[in-house]
Amino acid sequence: MIKIKVIGRKIEKELEYQKGMKVKDVLKAVGFNTESGIAKVNGKVALEDDSIKDNDYVEVIPVVSGG
């Protein structure tokens, strides 16, 4: 299982690990894409194509923009 927490949105969930999962798959599972959220895997900033392993902890940080 992968534990996911979305910072500032009170979303915490577990996602079943699937072989070949990437950061972008985890973002999508909680309603984000690579432009609307930044992921930290086990405390380190991760890129969208970085692999996810079973038992990883992923924090999603929503991106705020405007002008």
Side-chain angles (χ1 to χ4, degrees), residues 21-46:
M21 284 185 91
K22 306 276 185 193
V23 168
K24 61 185 168 189
D25 300 319
V26 174
L27 288 171
K28 185 176 179 182
V30 290
F32 288 82
N33 61 43
T34 57
E35 294 177 7
S36 62
I38 296 170
K40 288 174 64 178
V41 178
N42 301 321
K44 297 182 180 179
V45 175

PDB file of all heavy atoms in Angstrom, residues 21-46:
ATOM      1  N   MET A  21       4.068   1.712 -11.039  1.00  0.00           N
ATOM      2  CA  MET A  21       3.438   2.991 -10.694  1.00  0.00           C
ATOM      3  C   MET A  21       4.446   4.123 -10.715  1.00  0.00           C
ATOM      4  O   MET A  21       5.602   3.958 -10.347  1.00  0.00           O
ATOM      5  CB  MET A  21       2.808   2.939  -9.303  1.00  0.00           C
ATOM      6  CG  MET A  21       1.514   2.184  -9.257  1.00  0.00           C
ATOM      7  SD  MET A  21       0.760   2.302  -7.624  1.00  0.00           S
ATOM      8  CE  MET A  21      -0.240   3.759  -7.886  1.00  0.00           C
ATOM      9  N   LYS A  22       3.979   5.274 -11.136  1.00  0.00           N
ATOM     10  CA  LYS A  22       4.779   6.488 -11.191  1.00  0.00           C
ATOM     11  C   LYS A  22       4.119   7.554 -10.321  1.00  0.00           C
ATOM     12  O   LYS A  22       2.952   7.449  -9.952  1.00  0.00           O
ATOM     13  CB  LYS A  22       4.873   7.015 -12.631  1.00  0.00           C
ATOM     14  CG  LYS A  22       5.362   6.018 -13.641  1.00  0.00           C
ATOM     15  CD  LYS A  22       6.845   5.969 -13.648  1.00  0.00           C
ATOM     16  CE  LYS A  22       7.332   5.053 -14.768  1.00  0.00           C
ATOM     17  NZ  LYS A  22       8.694   4.721 -14.667  1.00  0.00           N
ATOM     18  N   VAL A  23       4.857   8.605 -10.034  1.00  0.00           N
ATOM     19  CA  VAL A  23       4.331   9.720  -9.252  1.00  0.00           C
ATOM     20  C   VAL A  23       3.068  10.280  -9.900  1.00  0.00           C
ATOM     21  O   VAL A  23       2.085  10.564  -9.221  1.00  0.00           O
ATOM     22  CB  VAL A  23       5.410  10.816  -9.073  1.00  0.00           C
ATOM     23  CG1 VAL A  23       4.809  12.095  -8.525  1.00  0.00           C
ATOM     24  CG2 VAL A  23       6.529  10.312  -8.173  1.00  0.00           C
ATOM     25  N   LYS A  24       3.068  10.402 -11.211  1.00  0.00           N
ATOM     26  CA  LYS A  24       1.896  10.969 -11.892  1.00  0.00           C
ATOM     27  C   LYS A  24       0.642  10.121 -11.666  1.00  0.00           C
ATOM     28  O   LYS A  24      -0.461  10.638 -11.620  1.00  0.00           O
ATOM     29  CB  LYS A  24       2.165  11.177 -13.377  1.00  0.00           C
ATOM     30  CG  LYS A  24       2.482   9.935 -14.163  1.00  0.00           C
ATOM     31  CD  LYS A  24       2.848  10.286 -15.591  1.00  0.00           C
ATOM     32  CE  LYS A  24       3.454   9.091 -16.312  1.00  0.00           C
ATOM     33  NZ  LYS A  24       3.987   9.503 -17.618  1.00  0.00           N
ATOM     34  N   ASP A  25       0.794   8.803 -11.474  1.00  0.00           N
ATOM     35  CA  ASP A  25      -0.355   7.937 -11.197  1.00  0.00           C
ATOM     36  C   ASP A  25      -0.940   8.236  -9.813  1.00  0.00           C
ATOM     37  O   ASP A  25      -2.156   8.232  -9.628  1.00  0.00           O
ATOM     38  CB  ASP A  25       0.062   6.464 -11.270  1.00  0.00           C
ATOM     39  CG  ASP A  25       0.599   6.082 -12.645  1.00  0.00           C
ATOM     40  OD1 ASP A  25       0.030   6.529 -13.664  1.00  0.00           O
ATOM     41  OD2 ASP A  25       1.600   5.337 -12.691  1.00  0.00           O
ATOM     42  N   VAL A  26      -0.073   8.490  -8.854  1.00  0.00           N
ATOM     43  CA  VAL A  26      -0.515   8.811  -7.500  1.00  0.00           C
ATOM     44  C   VAL A  26      -1.215  10.171  -7.493  1.00  0.00           C
ATOM     45  O   VAL A  26      -2.269  10.338  -6.883  1.00  0.00           O
ATOM     46  CB  VAL A  26       0.664   8.790  -6.508  1.00  0.00           C
ATOM     47  CG1 VAL A  26       0.235   9.260  -5.138  1.00  0.00           C
ATOM     48  CG2 VAL A  26       1.270   7.387  -6.424  1.00  0.00           C
ATOM     49  N   LEU A  27      -0.637  11.152  -8.189  1.00  0.00           N
ATOM     50  CA  LEU A  27      -1.272  12.469  -8.280  1.00  0.00           C
ATOM     51  C   LEU A  27      -2.679  12.350  -8.859  1.00  0.00           C
ATOM     52  O   LEU A  27      -3.631  12.927  -8.332  1.00  0.00           O
ATOM     53  CB  LEU A  27      -0.430  13.419  -9.140  1.00  0.00           C
ATOM     54  CG  LEU A  27       0.871  13.919  -8.530  1.00  0.00           C
ATOM     55  CD1 LEU A  27       1.689  14.669  -9.575  1.00  0.00           C
ATOM     56  CD2 LEU A  27       0.618  14.798  -7.331  1.00  0.00           C
ATOM     57  N   LYS A  28      -2.812  11.587  -9.919  1.00  0.00           N
ATOM     58  CA  LYS A  28      -4.104  11.413 -10.574  1.00  0.00           C
ATOM     59  C   LYS A  28      -5.115  10.763  -9.624  1.00  0.00           C
ATOM     60  O   LYS A  28      -6.290  11.127  -9.617  1.00  0.00           O
ATOM     61  CB  LYS A  28      -3.944  10.567 -11.832  1.00  0.00           C
ATOM     62  CG  LYS A  28      -5.200  10.420 -12.635  1.00  0.00           C
ATOM     63  CD  LYS A  28      -4.948   9.645 -13.911  1.00  0.00           C
ATOM     64  CE  LYS A  28      -6.224   9.476 -14.700  1.00  0.00           C
ATOM     65  NZ  LYS A  28      -6.017   8.694 -15.919  1.00  0.00           N
ATOM     66  N   ALA A  29      -4.654   9.838  -8.803  1.00  0.00           N
ATOM     67  CA  ALA A  29      -5.541   9.125  -7.875  1.00  0.00           C
ATOM     68  C   ALA A  29      -6.178  10.045  -6.838  1.00  0.00           C
ATOM     69  O   ALA A  29      -7.236   9.723  -6.295  1.00  0.00           O
ATOM     70  CB  ALA A  29      -4.774   8.003  -7.187  1.00  0.00           C
ATOM     71  N   VAL A  30      -5.547  11.182  -6.560  1.00  0.00           N
ATOM     72  CA  VAL A  30      -6.121  12.135  -5.595  1.00  0.00           C
ATOM     73  C   VAL A  30      -6.599  13.424  -6.264  1.00  0.00           C
ATOM     74  O   VAL A  30      -6.793  14.440  -5.607  1.00  0.00           O
ATOM     75  CB  VAL A  30      -5.134  12.441  -4.436  1.00  0.00           C
ATOM     76  CG1 VAL A  30      -4.984  11.236  -3.541  1.00  0.00           C
ATOM     77  CG2 VAL A  30      -3.793  12.923  -4.935  1.00  0.00           C
ATOM     78  N   GLY A  31      -6.767  13.380  -7.584  1.00  0.00           N
ATOM     79  CA  GLY A  31      -7.383  14.499  -8.295  1.00  0.00           C
ATOM     80  C   GLY A  31      -6.452  15.604  -8.755  1.00  0.00           C
ATOM     81  O   GLY A  31      -6.901  16.720  -9.002  1.00  0.00           O
ATOM     82  N   PHE A  32      -5.174  15.310  -8.875  1.00  0.00           N
ATOM     83  CA  PHE A  32      -4.206  16.308  -9.316  1.00  0.00           C
ATOM     84  C   PHE A  32      -3.543  15.842 -10.612  1.00  0.00           C
ATOM     85  O   PHE A  32      -3.599  14.677 -10.971  1.00  0.00           O
ATOM     86  CB  PHE A  32      -3.103  16.511  -8.260  1.00  0.00           C
ATOM     87  CG  PHE A  32      -3.567  17.246  -7.047  1.00  0.00           C
ATOM     88  CD1 PHE A  32      -4.230  16.579  -6.026  1.00  0.00           C
ATOM     89  CD2 PHE A  32      -3.353  18.612  -6.915  1.00  0.00           C
ATOM     90  CE1 PHE A  32      -4.663  17.251  -4.899  1.00  0.00           C
ATOM     91  CE2 PHE A  32      -3.786  19.288  -5.784  1.00  0.00           C
ATOM     92  CZ  PHE A  32      -4.449  18.603  -4.782  1.00  0.00           C
ATOM     93  N   ASN A  33      -2.900  16.793 -11.275  1.00  0.00           N
ATOM     94  CA  ASN A  33      -2.014  16.445 -12.382  1.00  0.00           C
ATOM     95  C   ASN A  33      -0.657  17.067 -12.072  1.00  0.00           C
ATOM     96  O   ASN A  33      -0.482  17.698 -11.035  1.00  0.00           O
ATOM     97  CB  ASN A  33      -2.578  16.900 -13.742  1.00  0.00           C
ATOM     98  CG  ASN A  33      -2.755  18.399 -13.832  1.00  0.00           C
ATOM     99  OD1 ASN A  33      -1.901  19.174 -13.420  1.00  0.00           O
ATOM    100  ND2 ASN A  33      -3.882  18.827 -14.382  1.00  0.00           N
ATOM    101  N   THR A  34       0.279  16.899 -12.971  1.00  0.00           N
ATOM    102  CA  THR A  34       1.638  17.362 -12.682  1.00  0.00           C
ATOM    103  C   THR A  34       1.769  18.884 -12.681  1.00  0.00           C
ATOM    104  O   THR A  34       2.793  19.402 -12.272  1.00  0.00           O
ATOM    105  CB  THR A  34       2.637  16.755 -13.678  1.00  0.00           C
ATOM    106  OG1 THR A  34       2.238  17.087 -15.012  1.00  0.00           O
ATOM    107  CG2 THR A  34       2.675  15.238 -13.532  1.00  0.00           C
ATOM    108  N   GLU A  35       0.734  19.595 -13.119  1.00  0.00           N
ATOM    109  CA  GLU A  35       0.773  21.052 -13.095  1.00  0.00           C
ATOM    110  C   GLU A  35       0.039  21.623 -11.880  1.00  0.00           C
ATOM    111  O   GLU A  35       0.221  22.780 -11.545  1.00  0.00           O
ATOM    112  CB  GLU A  35       0.163  21.607 -14.380  1.00  0.00           C
ATOM    113  CG  GLU A  35       0.996  21.254 -15.610  1.00  0.00           C
ATOM    114  CD  GLU A  35       0.359  21.738 -16.901  1.00  0.00           C
ATOM    115  OE1 GLU A  35      -0.651  22.463 -16.858  1.00  0.00           O
ATOM    116  OE2 GLU A  35       0.886  21.371 -17.954  1.00  0.00           O
ATOM    117  N   SER A  36      -0.778  20.800 -11.234  1.00  0.00           N
ATOM    118  CA  SER A  36      -1.556  21.316 -10.105  1.00  0.00           C
ATOM    119  C   SER A  36      -1.069  20.824  -8.744  1.00  0.00           C
ATOM    120  O   SER A  36      -1.590  21.242  -7.719  1.00  0.00           O
ATOM    121  CB  SER A  36      -3.035  20.953 -10.273  1.00  0.00           C
ATOM    122  OG  SER A  36      -3.204  19.549 -10.272  1.00  0.00           O
ATOM    123  N   GLY A  37      -0.070  19.941  -8.748  1.00  0.00           N
ATOM    124  CA  GLY A  37       0.457  19.450  -7.484  1.00  0.00           C
ATOM    125  C   GLY A  37       1.902  19.013  -7.587  1.00  0.00           C
ATOM    126  O   GLY A  37       2.360  18.572  -8.639  1.00  0.00           O
ATOM    127  N   ILE A  38       2.617  19.162  -6.489  1.00  0.00           N
ATOM    128  CA  ILE A  38       4.001  18.708  -6.380  1.00  0.00           C
ATOM    129  C   ILE A  38       4.001  17.544  -5.398  1.00  0.00           C
ATOM    130  O   ILE A  38       3.322  17.592  -4.373  1.00  0.00           O
ATOM    131  CB  ILE A  38       4.912  19.835  -5.854  1.00  0.00           C
ATOM    132  CG1 ILE A  38       4.944  20.986  -6.853  1.00  0.00           C
ATOM    133  CG2 ILE A  38       6.323  19.321  -5.564  1.00  0.00           C
ATOM    134  CD1 ILE A  38       5.621  22.233  -6.323  1.00  0.00           C
ATOM    135  N   ALA A  39       4.755  16.516  -5.709  1.00  0.00           N
ATOM    136  CA  ALA A  39       4.795  15.347  -4.835  1.00  0.00           C
ATOM    137  C   ALA A  39       6.139  15.219  -4.139  1.00  0.00           C
ATOM    138  O   ALA A  39       7.187  15.483  -4.724  1.00  0.00           O
ATOM    139  CB  ALA A  39       4.521  14.089  -5.648  1.00  0.00           C
ATOM    140  N   LYS A  40       6.052  14.824  -2.875  1.00  0.00           N
ATOM    141  CA  LYS A  40       7.240  14.454  -2.104  1.00  0.00           C
ATOM    142  C   LYS A  40       7.075  12.974  -1.757  1.00  0.00           C
ATOM    143  O   LYS A  40       6.051  12.591  -1.196  1.00  0.00           O
ATOM    144  CB  LYS A  40       7.344  15.276  -0.827  1.00  0.00           C
ATOM    145  CG  LYS A  40       7.737  16.717  -1.069  1.00  0.00           C
ATOM    146  CD  LYS A  40       7.689  17.550   0.198  1.00  0.00           C
ATOM    147  CE  LYS A  40       8.680  17.099   1.225  1.00  0.00           C
ATOM    148  NZ  LYS A  40       8.667  17.958   2.449  1.00  0.00           N
ATOM    149  N   VAL A  41       8.064  12.167  -2.123  1.00  0.00           N
ATOM    150  CA  VAL A  41       8.019  10.745  -1.817  1.00  0.00           C
ATOM    151  C   VAL A  41       9.038  10.478  -0.716  1.00  0.00           C
ATOM    152  O   VAL A  41      10.227  10.739  -0.894  1.00  0.00           O
ATOM    153  CB  VAL A  41       8.328   9.895  -3.074  1.00  0.00           C
ATOM    154  CG1 VAL A  41       8.333   8.417  -2.735  1.00  0.00           C
ATOM    155  CG2 VAL A  41       7.321  10.184  -4.180  1.00  0.00           C
ATOM    156  N   ASN A  42       8.541   9.999   0.402  1.00  0.00           N
ATOM    157  CA  ASN A  42       9.387   9.730   1.571  1.00  0.00           C
ATOM    158  C   ASN A  42      10.233  10.946   1.947  1.00  0.00           C
ATOM    159  O   ASN A  42      11.404  10.837   2.276  1.00  0.00           O
ATOM    160  CB  ASN A  42      10.251   8.500   1.333  1.00  0.00           C
ATOM    161  CG  ASN A  42       9.422   7.265   1.046  1.00  0.00           C
ATOM    162  OD1 ASN A  42       8.391   7.065   1.654  1.00  0.00           O
ATOM    163  ND2 ASN A  42       9.864   6.458   0.114  1.00  0.00           N
ATOM    164  N   GLY A  43       9.619  12.139   1.836  1.00  0.00           N
ATOM    165  CA  GLY A  43      10.273  13.374   2.262  1.00  0.00           C
ATOM    166  C   GLY A  43      11.115  14.079   1.222  1.00  0.00           C
ATOM    167  O   GLY A  43      11.650  15.147   1.484  1.00  0.00           O
ATOM    168  N   LYS A  44      11.223  13.516   0.009  1.00  0.00           N
ATOM    169  CA  LYS A  44      12.041  14.140  -1.041  1.00  0.00           C
ATOM    170  C   LYS A  44      11.171  14.483  -2.246  1.00  0.00           C
ATOM    171  O   LYS A  44      10.329  13.686  -2.665  1.00  0.00           O
ATOM    172  CB  LYS A  44      13.162  13.196  -1.477  1.00  0.00           C
ATOM    173  CG  LYS A  44      14.136  12.897  -0.356  1.00  0.00           C
ATOM    174  CD  LYS A  44      15.247  11.999  -0.818  1.00  0.00           C
ATOM    175  CE  LYS A  44      16.197  11.723   0.343  1.00  0.00           C
ATOM    176  NZ  LYS A  44      17.282  10.843  -0.038  1.00  0.00           N
ATOM    177  N   VAL A  45      11.389  15.681  -2.814  1.00  0.00           N
ATOM    178  CA  VAL A  45      10.628  16.099  -3.984  1.00  0.00           C
ATOM    179  C   VAL A  45      10.860  15.101  -5.115  1.00  0.00           C
ATOM    180  O   VAL A  45      11.990  14.676  -5.368  1.00  0.00           O
ATOM    181  CB  VAL A  45      11.026  17.524  -4.428  1.00  0.00           C
ATOM    182  CG1 VAL A  45      10.328  17.910  -5.709  1.00  0.00           C
ATOM    183  CG2 VAL A  45      10.694  18.525  -3.336  1.00  0.00           C
ATOM    184  N   ALA A  46       9.772  14.717  -5.778  1.00  0.00           N
ATOM    185  CA  ALA A  46       9.844  13.707  -6.833  1.00  0.00           C
ATOM    186  C   ALA A  46       9.312  14.269  -8.147  1.00  0.00           C
ATOM    187  O   ALA A  46       8.425  15.119  -8.157  1.00  0.00           O
ATOM    188  CB  ALA A  46       9.036  12.481  -6.429  1.00  0.00           C
TER     189      ALA A  46
END
